[in-house]
Amino acid sequence: MHNEACHTMHEGEILNADKTEYPLFHAVLYGDKISTEKFSKRLSCAIKHLPLCVKFTFEYDTLKAVEQGIVQDPTLILDGEIFLEGLVQAETITEAFERVLVEKE
């Protein structure tokens, strides 16, 4: 099962999909295939233990990224807002999602 190990997320995949009681976030990863794959794997490791579900979509179109105000590859958009920019460390990803969970309470 995907939730047990770090892995590259797939288009439309929901991390922690079996935890239907958790809040569902929609994440769009903008950037080239290599940077978004690295980021998605790092992200799956960083947040799989948190009480949330995240549905993933990937966007490789540079023009669409520019329209969203994105200037760095990769960039994670969470629920329509720029959330994380660049290939940040797993600890940074975990901390950012922990802050979102606190705000949702």
Side-chain angles (χ1 to χ4, degrees), residues 1-10 13-20 44-45 48 53:
M1 181 103 194
H2 277 310
N3 290 342
E4 296 168 11
C6 302
H7 66 286
T8 301
M9 302 298 293
H10 302 287
E13 182 177 346
I14 299 176
L15 186 69
N16 293 334
D18 56 330
K19 309 285 191 197
T20 55
S44 75
C45 291
K48 67 182 182 213
C53 299

Side-chain angles (χ1 to χ4, degrees), residues 14-16 19-25 51-54 101 104:
I14 299 176
L15 186 69
N16 293 334
K19 309 285 191 197
T20 55
E21 70 277 13
Y22 290 174
L24 176 65
F25 296 91
L52 51 75
C53 299
V54 181
L101 288 172
K104 286 261 186 207

Side-chain angles (χ1 to χ4, degrees), residues 2 5 28 30 44 63 70 74 98:
H2 277 310
V28 182
Y30 284 82
S44 75
L63 288 176
I70 293 168
E98 286 171 343

Side-chain angles (χ1 to χ4, degrees), residues 43-81:
L43 192 122
S44 75
C45 291
I47 67 169
K48 67 182 182 213
H49 66 285
L50 294 176
L52 51 75
C53 299
V54 181
K55 181 177 182 181
F56 284 85
T57 309
F58 294 88
E59 182 55 70
Y60 307 115
D61 186 323
T62 306
L63 288 176
K64 287 185 180 174
V66 170
E67 288 171 6
Q68 294 291 326
I70 293 168
V71 294
Q72 268 191 296
D73 278 357
T75 291
L76 177 69
I77 301 285
L78 189 68
D79 290 344
E81 302 289 326

